[in-house]
């Protein structure tokens, strides 16, 4: 038997015993987590802002080391430290080959660790984790890298990368606005990545002093909400998650600008000013990130100046991981000694 984290009730996370994983195929691996990170989505689950049924495994951000691999695994070896993406992807289906690893066609749609998604893959926050497509999914941790410092690369920083990096590659030196909020760490990371990637201007708007301070530490100029955003920007990130601020983000996007929403709007319908968007000709993108695809270029950003650990992390022992999930701190993680 092993332990895994369970959302036992709204606001309460605890360890529960479950059967130990066994290799399911020649291409699978069993990984022992050494660092667990709490994601912004986990915070929403625990607080009841996004649905996760009581009794479901929780936790999907993990760096670990191999303890066993199938005979067909060639890219990694037992004992090697790896970043484990939050989403399950085979690497060979049509979507995976196109880089759409968040929408793998070999598993139930949207399958992942610890998010209540179909497929029964458990969670990453466990004593041992079965990774079904080891060669396709796992990314070696850069040599000498501190796994605690790099835990953001397992999910949230990858989510942030997709909101600013491809856009700045298309429009070097562009102006960037991040509307910070419910995707709290993701928004701050997006501002930090935009600075490292050479944006001509990076503004971060929020009403939370801790997030404003974190964004400022990354080099962004801060705007205290609520206020009107007077300027318009080529690249805008909605990390706030309310219909009102999505509209504000749309209005802050300049004509032909690029807007990415990294939040989940849970209502059945979110009204948008479509006439205004039509005349401005802006591009609005939403949806879950393709995490496995984005991790390697994100690691390149880390090698060239982006530091995920610039956001102060409250660190717990591995055994105390439930407390990390229920903490109100901006960023928490649990690590083995």
């Amino acid at each position: 038997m092993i332990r895994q984290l369970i959302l036992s009730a709204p606001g309460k996370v605890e360890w529960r015993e479950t059967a130990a994983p066994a290799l399911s195929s020649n291409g699978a691996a069993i990984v022992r987590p050494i660092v667990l990170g709490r994601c912004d989505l986990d915070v929403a689950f625990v607080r009841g802002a996004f649905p996760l049924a009581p009794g479901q495994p929780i936790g999907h951000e993990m760096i670990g080391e191999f303890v066993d691999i199938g005979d067909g695994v060639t890219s990694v070896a037992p004992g090697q430290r790896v970043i484990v993406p939050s989403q399950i992807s085979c690497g060979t289906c049509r979507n995976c080959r196109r880089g759409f690893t968040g929408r793998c066609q070999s598993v139930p749609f949207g399958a992942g660790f610890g998010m209540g998604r179909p497929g029964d893959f458990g969670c990453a926050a466990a004593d041992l984790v079965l990774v079904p497509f080891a060669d396709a999914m796992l990314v070696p941790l850069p040599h000498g890298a501190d796994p605690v410092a790099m835990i953001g690369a397992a999910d949230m920083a990858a989510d942030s990368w997709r909101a600013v990096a491809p856009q700045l590659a298309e429009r070097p030196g562009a102006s960037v606005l991040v509307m910070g909020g419910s995707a709290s760490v993701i928004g701050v990371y997006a501002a930090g990545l935009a600075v490292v990637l050479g944006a001509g201007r990076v503004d971060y708007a929020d009403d939370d002093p801790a997030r404003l301070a974190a964004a400022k530490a990354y080099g962004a100029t801060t705007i205290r909400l609520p206020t009107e955003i007077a300027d318009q920007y080529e690249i805008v990130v909605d990390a706030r998650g309310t219909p009102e601020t999505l509209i504000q983000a749309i209005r802050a996007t300049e004509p032909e600008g690029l807007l990415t929403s990294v939040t989940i709007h849970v209502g059945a319908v979110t009204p948008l000013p479509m006439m205004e968007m039509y005349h401005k000709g802006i591009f609005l993108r939403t949806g879950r990130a393709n995490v496995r695809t984005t991790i390697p270029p994100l690691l390149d950003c880390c090698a060239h100046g982006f530091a995920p650990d610039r956001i102060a992390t409250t660190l717990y022992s591995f055994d105390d991981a439930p407390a990390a999930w229920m903490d109100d701190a901006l960023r928490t993680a649990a690590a083995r000694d």
Side-chain angles (χ1 to χ4, degrees), residues 299-333:
L299 293 178
D300 185 64
C301 287
C302 293
H304 290 86
F306 176 68
D309 61 334
R310 190 165 290 173
I311 295 180
T313 299
T314 303
L315 190 63
Y316 287 79
S317 71
F318 197 87
D319 288 345
D320 290 333
W325 258 248
M326 296 183 288
D327 196 333
D328 286 333
L330 179 59
R331 185 73 168 115
T332 67

Side-chain angles (χ1 to χ4, degrees), residues 97-120:
R97 291 196 309 272
R98 294 190 294 168
F100 307 153
T101 52
R103 294 154 185 88
C104 176
Q105 295 165 302
S106 297
V107 295
F109 186 74
F113 294 117
M115 293 180 273
R117 302 295 300 169
D120 195 24

